């Protein structure tokens, strides 16, 4: 099972890194960005890209924070269980 897990992680990382140019905007957003960039204003395109990155990373940051809290809590509970087991006896 771990070999399959490791292989799927590598495939996932490869797919994330290999996408050199991704066009994941709706037609309205793309049209408004193209019109403002052709007029010489690039701030709207930069802000739209920042918004997309914000929406992309937020769930991962939340899951990572929950995982860290869960890990620390479980480690604390294991230490308590080991300490309580040595006293009783």
């Amino acid at each position: 099972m771990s070999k399959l897990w490791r292989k799927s992680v590598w495939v996932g990382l490869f797919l994330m890194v290999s996408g050199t140019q991704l066009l994941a905007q709706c037609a309205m957003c793309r049209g408004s960005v193209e019109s403002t960039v052709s007029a010489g204003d690039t701030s709207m395109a930069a802000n739209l890209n920042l918004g997309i990155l914000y929406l992309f990373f937020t769930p991962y940051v939340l899951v990572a924070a929950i995982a860290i809290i869960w890990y620390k809590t479980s480690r604390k509970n294991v230490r308590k269980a080991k300490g309580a087991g040595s006293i009783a006896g």
Side-chain angles (χ1 to χ4, degrees), residues 20-80:
T20 56
Q21 184 179 12
L22 301 175
L23 301 173
Q25 296 175 350
C26 67
M28 294 294 290
C29 295
R30 185 177 173 136
S32 64
V33 168
E34 285 178 353
S35 67
T36 57
V37 169
S38 65
D41 184 22
T42 59
S43 65
M44 183 177 174
N47 290 334
L48 184 63
N49 286 336
L50 283 174
I52 291 170
L53 288 175
Y54 175 75
L55 290 173
F56 176 73
F57 283 114
T58 302
Y60 294 108
V61 170
L62 289 174
V63 168
I66 291 170
I68 289 169
I69 292 169
W70 189 351
Y71 176 75
K72 287 186 176 187
T73 304
S74 68
R75 295 280 292 179
K76 188 188 303 183
N77 290 339
V78 167
R79 286 186 188 143
K80 283 183 182 178

Side-chain angles (χ1 to χ4, degrees), residues 4-20 22 56 60:
L4 177 64
W5 174 254
R6 201 173 302 150
K7 190 174 185 178
S8 63
V9 168
W10 280 111
V11 168
L13 287 173
F14 174 74
L15 290 174
M16 286 193 310
V17 174
S18 67
T20 56
L22 301 175
F56 176 73
Y60 294 108

